[in-house]
Amino acid sequence: MNVGGARTNLPEMTGGAVFEENLEKVESLRPLEDGRTLGQLALRIVLNHPVVSVAIPGAKTPAQVEANAAASVRPLLSEEDLHFIQEVSPL
């Protein structure tokens, strides 16, 4: 987390019930990693959205750039995966 950043004072970022609930949601997505990191999975979810043509993730290291680029490589998420994600965290 970007300590001192604009989002560090939001309840969902600093602890408490909302933070714990969000952390549980993230952990419940781990079975979908399938050789990907959670960051790559998050990018894949964004890229899977029908109205999204490009995502511009941040990166501080060459390894992060490579990991982000790998998230755009197929296969896409299955309908089953998308349904599970929607159950965990409806949009």
Side-chain angles (χ1 to χ4, degrees):
M1 178 172 15
N2 181 11
V3 177
R7 291 177 277 202
T8 55
N9 291 327
L10 296 175
E12 60 269 24
M13 302 296 283
T14 58
V18 174
F19 176 81
E20 292 300 324
E21 180 182 329
N22 288 338
L23 187 57
E24 286 176 19
K25 289 178 183 179
V26 169
E27 289 300 321
S28 70
L29 295 174
R30 285 207 183 271
L32 299 180
E33 285 181 300
D34 193 30
R36 301 175 273 227
T37 66
L38 282 175
Q40 288 172 317
L41 177 61
L43 281 172
R44 183 73 265 161
I45 292 167
V46 169
L47 291 169
N48 235 81
H49 197 284
V51 299
V52 173
S53 57
V54 68
I56 306 173
K60 292 183 181 183
T61 67
Q64 289 173 334
V65 172
E66 291 174 13
N68 290 343
S72 68
V73 176
R74 296 189 184 268
L76 298 175
L77 295 169
S78 70
E79 288 299 318
E80 184 179 298
D81 291 343
L82 293 170
H83 181 73
F84 178 72
I85 293 164
Q86 185 68 21
E87 285 180 356
V88 170
S89 185
L91 297 176

